[in-house]
Amino acid sequence: MADTQHEDHGSHGEDHSHEHGSTQLFIGVFIGLCILTALSFAAGSSSFVMSTPSIGWTIMITVSVCKALLVMLYFMHLKWEANWKYVLTIPATMMSLFLIFALVPDIGLRTLSYTAERWLYAPSPRVEAHDHASGDHDHADNGEHEDENADH
Amino acid sequence: MADHEHHDDHGHIELEYQPALPLNNGKVCLWLFLSTEIMFFAALLGTFIVIRFGAPGAWPTPHDVHLVEWIGGLNTFVLIVSSFTIVMALKSAQENNASVARIWLLVTLITGSLFLGIKAYEYSSKFSHGIYPMKSPATIYDKPNLYYVSGVRERLNTIITEHAEADGDQIEMFGNLDLFRQDAPPSKEDQRIAKLEQQLEAIVGPAKMDAYGFPIYTEEEREKIIELQQALVSAKAPRAWDAMPERRKAVDKDNTEKLADLEEKHAVLIMDAAAGEEADKANADYEKAKQRQQRKYNSALAAINRDKAELRKIQSELPGLVRNQFHRLDEARICMRIRVNAVEWAEQAVVNRASEEEQTAAILALAYTIYPVHSNHTGQQKILGELMSLTKQVDTEEQTEKKFSGELTPKQEEINQTAGRKTALEEEQTTLQAKKTKLEEELAALNEPAESEEGEEPKVDPELETKKTKLQADIEALNTQLETVQSKLDPVVAAYAALEQEVKVLTASRDAATAKLARLKNRRDFIEEIFTKNRTAEGAPVLQFTEEYDEGLNHKHHFLELPLQITNGNMWASTYFLLTGFHALHVIVGLIIFVIPLIFMVKLDSSYANYLENAGLYWHFVDLVWIFLFPMLYLF
């Protein structure tokens, strides 16, 4: 399609500026984004929410996904685009998720097959019970692991 | 999107090609590019997620690594604003509002640059604490073990050695100055130099040394030393330069003499030699000898040139070395103190075969003094506990020392008295012994003449005999006296020996107590110094163990740059810098895309709206990536 120019199709110039979002809409989306950012920040900093880290992470990922949807739909005008947007977004999402799942067995669960010698040189987990990041301490790991603190 | 029938000149209908996608080429290309970008960032983010959550409980908290959440939140807000403004720019361009579009685009550019500025600030705070993407220059150890302790020790030794080498260079250079100026013709300057050296010696000579063998000077003394040494350098250097022509003259003279010598010898040889072989040999030898002499001359000249170069080097470097010498000294002293009071302390705890927990706690305590982060709870507790026990230990040692001192003083008095008695008795013994020896000599003298005459009847002199008998009796009496004195002396000597032994033991115990006390006090003062925020009215230290990491040895002395112990710190650093670095690169590319129409003053009307749309799509993608990066890096 290199020979013919279709600027009017391409730009959807004057027709679409009124079909597309109004300034009001964009301001609304902007405020929504700010609120969601604040929400995510509050969840991440709140010791109450992060006492169970999984809940905190779920909240934050959900918020991030909502923000991403807002940006994609409204700022990137995907809401007003034709069905090719699904061809783009759905495979990309699937691939991203599959990539993460594919890495889990070898890298995500690497500590399950650590030998004692490897544990000797591996970074040791922190052990403060009130520290949220130690909440994901994997209790399923082997007994050879050097347990220098009795909190667990 | 109605098909418009186009009629060409001949009235034929022209068919329009309909694109497969209702998009212009630019937009299609950009969406293709964005899908590759999605793959790119999905890969990076995906691996980050897997790595981070596969490290059970061993990921640094934001506080450990100088990550400030609200700054990340601010960055997110800035990027959201810029997303909004680029959308408004597009809208204005579509509505043919070129000037308004330009303003929106400019605001987008500014907010994007603001994002980069904040990111640069964040990066600088990490670099300044020694957290870099690569293992070197970063010095982060993952585990609190002996490798970490030896890493700290190595860094301290590096600094100390550097300074010692510079000191050595300074001494060597001063020595060379003196060496070079030896050949200079005498001048009044030498007297001035001698006087300066005298003044210098007056300050340096009686200087006291501290525990590490470094001299202690007051501020004024230091300034005076630097002043005098600078004066010495500027006085001695010209004298050294004066010496160079002298040396050159000497070398030349020597060369001429040697050559003349060789020629003379050769002339003699030639006269004596027969023609032919012998003459040829003499000539060849002469040539070789001349060449040898030439080589020696050349190397002597080269030596002079080397010394000249050295002298130039001294003139340029020595003043700097002199100026910095006390700065070096102070730094070396600080390093020594840390080595003794922190590193060796941790090493002792490990060597003393305490339990593994104790060993790790001691090393974590060392890590805490260098880089106090709240997540190093063990280290913090260890230091706090140690401070409490140190006070008690110091008290106990003081008591012990006092006890030993108390026992020592009377013993020393006793031993002095005993020594006095012993000396008196020994003197008596010596006098008696002397008398006895004298009498014995007399007796021997009296006995002698009777023996010298042989073969004659011994004349018996009754007077002589009485003398001899009297002498014998006196000698006997003296012997008895000596025996009495001896019997008095023996117990005194024994008592003295026993007391000596006791005093030795007591002194050793007291000295040990004093040394231990000094060691404990040094450690206590050392820790208090690091964590003292203020002092009370009475001067007692107010200790503070805050959540802040802007404390500790690395912060107190910026030149130290001691290794840190951050569990999984290297992994964190490399993933953080990789993700944010690539994101920042994309931001930079976006800014370039924004700046081009602004620079070329393009009219941002509806014909340019495509460019803005595509730029906006790219920028929104960058924002999307950050939307996911922010919680994952900062909040998880």
Side-chain angles (χ1 to χ4, degrees):
Chain A
M1 51 188 98
D3 36 32
T4 346
Q5 294 291 40
H6 292 275
E7 287 101 341
D8 49 345
H9 289 283
S11 66
H12 302 288
E14 294 79 354
D15 325 333
H16 278 260
S17 61
H18 305 294
E19 289 180 32
H20 285 181
S22 56
T23 312
Q24 252 187 340
L25 178 67
F26 291 138
I27 293 181
V29 170
F30 170 69
I31 293 179
L33 285 171
C34 292
I35 292 175
L36 284 171
T37 309
L39 190 68
S40 163
F41 188 79
S45 322
S46 141
S47 44
F48 172 66
V49 169
M50 291 307 267
S51 58
T52 321
S54 325
I55 295 183
W57 296 331
T58 317
I59 293 178
M60 287 193 272
I61 297 261
T62 318
V63 164
S64 295
V65 168
C66 293
K67 283 162 73 177
L69 279 175
L70 278 177
V71 169
M72 280 166 62
L73 285 175
Y74 292 103
F75 282 174
M76 289 169 110
H77 289 65
L78 278 184
K79 183 163 183 277
W80 302 288
E81 298 286 6
N83 289 347
W84 56 263
K85 64 189 176 197
Y86 300 120
V87 177
L88 187 85
T89 50
I90 294 182
T93 317
M94 282 164 55
M95 283 195 285
S96 316
L97 289 173
F98 283 156
L99 174 73
I100 299 178
F101 296 147
L103 290 172
V104 165
D106 290 324
I107 302 180
L109 302 177
R110 63 187 182 276
T111 55
L112 289 188
S113 56
Y114 269 12
T115 58
E117 186 180 357
R118 190 158 178 192
W119 274 119
L120 200 61
Y121 298 107
S124 48
R126 278 185 324 267
V127 280
E128 290 73 40
H130 59 265
D131 179 20
H132 70 256
S134 64
D136 57 6
H137 181 83
D138 196 347
H139 290 273
D141 61 14
N142 44 29
E144 296 132 52
H145 168 179
E146 277 183 322
D147 199 357
E148 59 234 327
N149 306 277
D151 291 10
H152 296 287
Chain B
M1 279 149 285
D3 282 342
H4 300 287
E5 284 185 11
H6 289 269
H7 296 268
D8 71 355
D9 302 338
H10 307 283
H12 296 226
I13 294 179
E14 280 184 8
L15 296 173
E16 278 182 17
Y17 287 99
Q18 300 297 323
L21 287 171
L23 302 172
N24 60 33
N25 294 342
K27 200 160 164 187
V28 171
C29 284
L30 190 84
W31 272 113
L32 278 175
F33 172 64
L34 285 186
S35 57
T36 64
E37 290 283 87
I38 291 175
M39 288 191 264
F40 178 73
F41 277 106
L44 290 180
L45 270 170
T47 44
F48 170 76
I49 290 175
V50 173
I51 287 177
R52 185 251 182 274
F53 288 101
W59 200 255
T61 63
H63 246 206
D64 293 351
V65 284
H66 294 268
L67 209 53
V68 186
E69 291 98 330
W70 68 263
I71 294 184
L74 177 67
N75 253 353
T76 316
F77 174 71
V78 165
L79 221 49
I80 292 175
V81 165
S82 70
S83 268
F84 172 71
T85 55
I86 191 69
V87 163
M88 293 312 292
L90 172 64
K91 193 154 184 302
S92 315
Q94 284 168 344
E95 290 164 357
N96 248 332
N97 248 329
S99 48
V100 175
R102 164 167 279 119
I103 294 176
W104 280 123
L105 187 61
L106 190 62
V107 175
T108 315
L109 184 68
I110 292 173
T111 39
S113 311
L114 183 63
F115 175 86
L116 279 183
I118 298 176
K119 180 118 284 233
Y121 167 75
E122 281 187 293
Y123 273 21
S124 75
S125 88
K126 287 174 195 44
F127 292 160
S128 73
H129 287 90
I131 299 172
Y132 292 88
M134 284 196 295
K135 211 159 195 168
S136 164
T139 44
I140 303 178
Y141 285 75
D142 285 321
K143 282 188 91 92
N145 53 17
L146 270 182
Y147 294 111
Y148 173 62
V149 179
S150 67
V152 175
R153 181 179 265 275
E154 200 181 309
R155 170 69 189 148
L156 288 170
N157 284 346
T158 309
I159 302 175
I160 294 173
T161 322
E162 261 172 33
H163 292 329
E165 277 174 3
D167 279 340
D169 284 343
Q170 185 179 331
I171 294 175
E172 194 188 327
M173 285 185 185
F174 267 118
N176 278 343
L177 271 181
D178 283 331
L179 192 65
F180 290 160
R181 72 186 177 105
Q182 270 172 0
D183 296 316
S187 128
K188 276 208 297 257
E189 269 299 288
D190 291 331
Q191 288 173 334
R192 192 168 84 87
I193 291 176
K195 214 167 86 170
L196 284 172
E197 284 186 334
Q198 252 182 359
Q199 285 179 306
L200 189 60
E201 186 57 32
I203 306 180
V204 170
K208 290 214 243 334
M209 300 288 170
D210 67 3
Y212 309 115
F214 296 136
I216 304 177
Y217 299 117
T218 65
E219 261 313 303
E220 303 90 49
E221 281 175 344
R222 288 183 170 195
E223 282 174 23
K224 198 82 180 93
I225 289 176
I226 293 179
E227 198 189 304
L228 285 169
Q229 282 183 331
Q230 303 276 32
L232 276 171
V233 172
S234 35
K236 286 186 182 176
R239 299 292 295 136
W241 279 116
D242 288 343
M244 293 300 173
E246 296 293 322
R247 283 174 66 181
R248 177 65 194 265
K249 267 191 257 168
V251 165
D252 284 340
K253 185 156 155 265
D254 181 66
N255 185 44
T256 335
E257 279 176 6
K258 288 256 172 54
L259 284 175
D261 211 24
L262 285 173
E263 207 178 320
E264 242 185 76
K265 289 208 188 99
H266 177 234
V268 168
L269 278 174
I270 282 291
M271 274 198 300
D272 292 342
E277 263 189 42
E278 268 191 46
D280 286 342
K281 184 165 171 302
N283 283 334
D285 284 341
Y286 176 55
E287 285 305 313
K288 265 197 243 152
K290 267 208 298 198
Q291 278 172 8
R292 238 179 293 146
Q293 179 53 33
Q294 183 65 27
R295 277 198 296 271
K296 280 198 200 138
Y297 177 61
N298 286 341
S299 57
L301 285 183
I304 294 181
N305 283 337
R306 267 199 309 273
D307 288 346
K308 280 191 186 165
E310 175 70 24
L311 187 52
R312 271 190 286 269
K313 183 166 154 237
I314 290 177
Q315 276 187 295
S316 68
E317 288 183 13
L318 190 51
L321 283 176
V322 165
R323 212 175 25 243
N324 289 336
Q325 61 183 307
F326 293 114
H327 182 70
R328 286 202 299 270
L329 191 94
D330 290 337
E331 284 190 357
R333 187 182 273 137
I334 290 173
C335 287
M336 290 276 209
R337 188 155 172 252
I338 294 172
R339 202 170 72 183
V340 169
N341 287 318
V343 176
E344 288 178 6
W345 202 265
E347 285 170 348
Q348 280 290 334
V350 173
V351 156
N352 285 340
R353 299 180 192 285
S355 70
E356 276 216 47
E357 273 176 27
E358 276 290 304
Q359 292 179 4
T360 317
I363 300 176
L364 282 171
L366 173 66
Y368 191 82
T369 54
I370 294 172
Y371 187 64
V373 285
H374 191 62
S375 66
N376 188 356
H377 204 239
T378 316
Q380 188 190 62
Q381 290 302 311
K382 178 96 175 115
I383 299 255
L384 279 172
E386 195 184 324
L387 271 179
M388 289 197 295
S389 82
L390 270 175
T391 331
K392 276 193 244 132
Q393 277 181 300
V394 162
D395 278 336
T396 325
E397 274 319 300
E398 275 177 345
Q399 305 281 4
T400 322
E401 199 200 6
K402 257 200 228 129
K403 181 178 88 139
F404 284 130
S405 297
E407 287 178 16
L408 198 55
T409 339
K411 278 276 184 296
Q412 278 181 326
E413 282 229 10
E414 225 186 297
I415 208 178
N416 286 340
Q417 283 177 359
T418 321
R421 278 208 308 267
K422 183 159 102 105
T423 335
L425 283 172
E426 281 173 346
E427 273 176 18
E428 223 188 301
Q429 195 184 44
T430 335
T431 0
L432 288 175
Q433 188 69 36
K435 274 196 211 158
K436 178 170 142 187
T437 329
K438 195 159 138 265
L439 290 180
E440 280 179 343
E441 277 175 7
E442 269 187 53
L443 186 59
L446 287 179
N447 278 335
E448 250 189 46
E451 293 174 27
S452 58
E453 294 172 16
E454 284 197 42
E456 276 190 24
E457 273 187 24
K459 286 194 207 126
V460 176
D461 193 352
E463 237 183 65
L464 205 57
E465 289 302 310
T466 16
K467 264 204 202 151
K468 277 202 254 181
T469 337
K470 184 168 174 297
L471 277 176
Q472 300 266 32
D474 285 339
I475 291 174
E476 285 303 317
L478 279 175
N479 273 338
T480 340
Q481 279 185 315
L482 275 172
E483 274 177 32
T484 356
V485 170
Q486 188 64 35
S487 63
K488 278 197 227 153
L489 191 55
D490 285 337
V492 173
V493 166
Y496 184 77
L499 276 174
E500 243 185 347
Q501 188 61 23
E502 274 183 50
V503 164
K504 203 164 95 177
V505 166
L506 276 177
T507 322
S509 314
R510 194 216 38 205
D511 287 342
T514 318
K516 189 161 174 204
L517 186 63
R519 189 167 160 265
L520 291 170
K521 274 196 178 150
N522 282 339
R523 170 74 174 171
R524 185 197 58 193
D525 294 339
F526 177 74
I527 304 238
E528 277 183 0
E529 239 180 68
I530 301 177
F531 294 106
T532 300
K533 270 292 179 187
N534 320 308
R535 297 196 170 260
T536 61
E538 295 87 33
V542 176
L543 298 173
Q544 202 160 340
F545 293 86
T546 66
E547 295 226 352
E548 294 313 305
Y549 37 65
D550 274 349
E551 313 283 343
L553 282 172
N554 268 352
H555 186 257
K556 198 152 175 259
H557 305 289
H558 283 276
F559 71 91
L560 278 176
E561 298 176 1
L562 294 172
L564 313 174
Q565 194 276 316
I566 304 175
T567 309
N568 245 333
N570 285 314
M571 182 67 86
W572 178 87
S574 73
T575 48
Y576 171 81
F577 282 109
L578 186 74
L579 287 170
T580 54
F582 267 119
H583 180 259
L585 283 175
H586 283 73
V587 170
I588 291 174
V589 168
L591 292 182
I592 294 174
I593 295 176
F594 294 149
V595 102
I596 289 175
L598 289 174
I599 287 185
F600 292 109
M601 307 289 270
V602 173
K603 190 164 194 296
L604 296 168
D605 55 10
S606 55
S607 63
Y608 214 76
N610 284 341
Y611 182 94
L612 279 182
E613 183 177 17
N614 291 336
L617 284 173
Y618 177 81
W619 192 248
H620 290 130
F621 179 75
V622 166
D623 188 23
L624 265 178
V625 173
W626 183 256
I627 283 174
F628 283 105
L629 271 185
F630 166 61
M632 284 196 201
L633 289 176
Y634 289 76
L635 301 176
F636 273 16

